[in-house]
Amino acid sequence: MLGQDELLKLFPEFADTIEASGIDLRLDKLYKQVGPGSLIDDVKTLPELKQIDDEIYTLEPKTAYSATVQGKIKIPKGYTMLYLPRSTLLRSFISVHTAVGDPGFYGTLQFMIINNGDYPFKIKKGERFVQAVVFAVEGSGEYDGSYQEKK
């Protein structure tokens, strides 16, 4: 896992949120699912989402949301990212479900946030909610999937 010095070299655009062993990512947009989705024979049909327009989001109990982070991520070839929720969320019964960030990925990160508690939880747009930890990958290729954005 890479530490602060290496992270600053690879991700200077995140200098203000780089910590000792990861990069804190800030919440940007929050969405609620309003339609079905599917994955059949490797054909992806993503559910329709409705953006929630607030500066302070209210996460309702037992409800899942899709969330994006501020800024685009460029993961250099030879590195991978794993994403973990910040501990304040876990202590507040909020879970964040993530995927692996592949070498060469460029684009907007999207995660699922679930309020597992019995009470609403408020979070402001721009708050640090996920920490990205970065690992070197020997012999890596580069991501070339359907979620790759153009630079």
Side-chain angles (χ1 to χ4, degrees):
M1 178 170 63
L2 302 185
Q4 188 172 17
D5 293 342
E6 285 300 310
L7 292 172
L8 283 167
K9 291 176 195 171
L10 289 171
F11 303 96
E13 66 276 23
F14 290 98
D16 64 328
T17 60
I18 289 178
E19 299 289 335
S21 62
I23 304 167
D24 286 344
L25 302 175
R26 295 182 184 278
L27 178 62
D28 189 22
K29 297 177 184 167
L30 196 69
Y31 301 87
K32 194 149 189 192
Q33 181 180 1
V34 294
S38 65
L39 179 60
I40 299 172
D41 296 329
D42 209 26
V43 175
K44 305 168 195 169
T45 303
L46 298 177
E48 183 181 348
L49 301 176
K50 180 182 178 192
Q51 184 175 334
I52 300 170
D53 292 318
D54 283 322
E55 286 298 309
I56 297 178
Y57 300 120
T58 300
L59 306 179
E60 295 298 335
K62 314 298 185 216
T63 304
Y65 301 87
S66 181
T68 59
V69 303
Q70 291 180 345
K72 299 206 182 280
I73 298 289
K74 169 63 176 147
I75 304 172
K77 183 177 179 181
Y79 297 92
T80 190
M81 279 186 170
L82 300 178
Y83 310 98
L84 301 166
R86 290 181 45 93
S87 63
T88 298
L89 294 181
L90 294 176
R91 294 167 193 236
S92 301
F93 296 87
I94 307 299
S95 58
V96 181
H97 296 261
T98 68
V100 173
D102 288 319
F105 173 82
Y106 174 79
T108 303
L109 295 176
Q110 190 169 356
F111 305 125
M112 184 172 54
I113 299 177
I114 300 174
N115 181 350
N116 298 290
D118 295 324
Y119 300 94
F121 180 82
K122 294 190 181 295
I123 185 168
K124 186 176 180 183
K125 181 177 184 171
E127 290 292 337
R128 298 175 298 151
F129 76 115
V130 170
Q131 185 178 40
V133 291
V134 181
F135 296 87
V137 178
E138 291 184 28
S140 80
E142 288 192 83
Y143 178 79
D144 188 28
S146 60
Y147 303 119
Q148 185 81 304
E149 295 178 26
K150 303 228 186 280
K151 294 180 194 173

